[in-house]
Amino acid sequence: MDLDVFVSAHAPEWDRLAQLLARRRRTGAEVDELVTLYQRTATHLSVLRSSAPDPQLVGRLTQLVARARSVVTGTRRAAWSDVLSFLTEGFPAAVYRARRWWVPTALLSVAVAALLGWWIGSHPAVRESIAAPEELREMTRPGGQYETYYSSHPATSFAAQVWTNNAQAVALCLVLGAFLCLPVLYILFQNMLNVAVGIGLMTDAGRLDTFLGLILPHGLLELTAVFVAAGTGLRLGWTVIDPGPRTRRTALAEEGRAALGMALGLALVLFVSGAIEGFVTPSSLPTWARITIGVVAETAFLTYVFVLGSRAVRAGDTGDLESGGRSAAQPVAA
């Protein structure tokens, strides 16, 4: 076998395979081409080993075939680049794509909490159904339970407990969304009812400003994470009802994978809100300073979503797994 002729004939195919392997995203046609070139290059390597061994060329093709095999037949290991890609593209893209669900969910939920808070604060019979008058006074007085709640435990353990509880609520919203939205609505209503009770009782006690000073520093970011999770869960549930042009199985798989990634991202968001609740909310900082920290954290998150997220979506990112990390939607012929 004339080695020079063999290399001249097949070198463009090897170079093309190397180009495809260097890409982080590939179209369906490029994946098909990659599989075909991988099979051809593996054959070329076998021929070279048996007919005209050239250590340098064999080493190059061996490395090329090994890389292609890991893409075609195996799962790649997560790297720091994957983490960076998730934080700068995948997660914000998933949250941005779900904005038509979680933004209305947030607005409606806040309206419901405000309405329920007004109803509780304006009707003594409703407040008496919550607790006895003596207990209500103990809860809402200066230095009462509403104020001491945030400083009743060491900041570190309290932040960890808050993060765990909120992460569970977010995970339930995302997971249970597939059950036709109903569990998500229940979880969301319970969260808004808890906020409304605080608003109503502290309004009746003439201390609404104190309540808002305690809840806003961490509550802005925390409730936004809950709203994102609830909106995503509702979208997942609606996908079961109306999958659109996709099959129900495909639609649920795609949206479910995006929701799973979103759960990881929201856990980081809740970690930040938990740290604020554990260290900033009960601190001796002035009320305006504590609220400013909460507003800055909320603004940073929304900017992160609507700037990086919209940019990633325009680039084609959906928040789903990369093609190498999920199964093919249908068999591909080589």
Side-chain angles (χ1 to χ4, degrees):
M1 183 183 68
D2 190 324
L3 184 59
D4 292 335
V5 173
F6 187 85
V7 172
S8 298
H10 300 295
E13 294 178 315
W14 305 336
D15 293 339
R16 176 59 177 167
L17 178 60
Q19 291 175 1
L20 291 174
L21 291 174
R23 295 184 180 180
R24 193 168 62 85
R25 291 192 181 89
R26 309 173 189 89
T27 65
E30 289 174 338
V31 171
D32 288 347
E33 184 183 5
L34 188 151
V35 173
T36 300
L37 292 175
Y38 157 65
Q39 294 174 331
R40 290 178 182 174
T41 304
T43 301
H44 299 160
L45 177 60
S46 177
V47 171
L48 286 172
R49 282 175 172 169
S50 61
S51 302
D54 181 311
Q56 185 175 359
L57 182 58
V58 168
R60 175 195 172 191
L61 294 187
T62 298
Q63 184 181 25
L64 192 60
V65 169
R67 290 172 56 200
R69 183 185 298 112
S70 68
V71 172
V72 173
T73 64
T75 57
R76 61 187 179 91
R77 294 182 179 179
W80 285 112
S81 60
D82 299 313
V83 176
L84 180 62
S85 175
F86 170 74
L87 293 177
T88 59
E89 298 177 9
F91 175 56
V95 178
Y96 181 78
R97 284 184 62 234
R99 69 192 184 282
R100 291 186 177 87
W101 286 90
W102 64 262
V103 171
T105 297
L107 296 177
L108 183 60
S109 298
V110 170
V112 168
L115 183 61
L116 288 175
W118 169 83
W119 182 57
I120 293 171
S122 303
H123 295 76
V126 177
R127 296 194 298 274
E128 292 174 2
S129 68
I130 296 174
E134 295 78 11
E135 294 176 328
L136 295 179
R137 283 192 293 271
E138 176 61 27
M139 292 169 60
T140 57
R141 67 175 177 83
Q145 295 177 13
Y146 269 115
E147 292 185 43
T148 59
Y149 168 75
Y150 296 101
S151 57
S152 58
H153 297 87
T156 302
S157 61
F158 181 71
Q161 179 183 355
V162 167
W163 177 80
T164 301
N165 293 338
N166 291 331
Q168 288 176 346
V170 164
L172 286 175
C173 285
L174 293 171
V175 172
L176 297 180
F179 294 93
L180 303 180
C181 307
L182 297 179
V184 177
L185 294 175
Y186 174 78
I187 295 171
L188 188 60
F189 177 76
Q190 289 298 316
N191 276 272
M192 292 303 98
L193 182 60
N194 289 336
V195 174
V197 169
I199 292 175
L201 296 182
M202 293 294 274
T203 298
D204 176 65
R207 308 192 66 229
L208 179 61
D209 56 339
T210 300
F211 179 76
L212 294 179
L214 290 170
I215 196 173
L216 288 180
H218 64 273
L220 289 172
L221 190 60
E222 177 184 301
L223 287 177
T224 299
V226 172
F227 296 147
V228 170
T232 303
L234 293 174
R235 185 182 67 173
L236 188 61
W238 188 253
T239 299
V240 178
I241 300 171
D242 181 17
R246 301 168 292 182
T247 65
R248 183 168 282 103
R249 179 179 179 180
T250 300
L252 190 59
E254 291 177 356
E255 300 301 337
R257 286 192 300 261
L260 178 61
M262 195 178 293
L264 299 176
L266 290 178
L268 297 177
V269 176
L270 290 173
F271 176 81
V272 175
S273 71
I276 295 174
E277 187 169 1
F279 293 93
V280 175
T281 299
S283 71
S284 58
L285 290 172
T287 299
W288 66 265
R290 288 185 279 113
I291 292 179
T292 298
I293 292 174
V295 170
V296 168
E298 173 74 357
T299 302
F301 177 69
L302 294 179
T303 302
Y304 164 76
V305 168
F306 284 93
V307 174
L308 293 185
S310 61
R311 182 185 305 166
V313 169
R314 288 195 300 270
D317 202 320
T318 64
D320 196 359
L321 293 176
E322 300 290 348
S323 60
R326 60 179 186 263
S327 59
Q330 60 185 15
V332 177

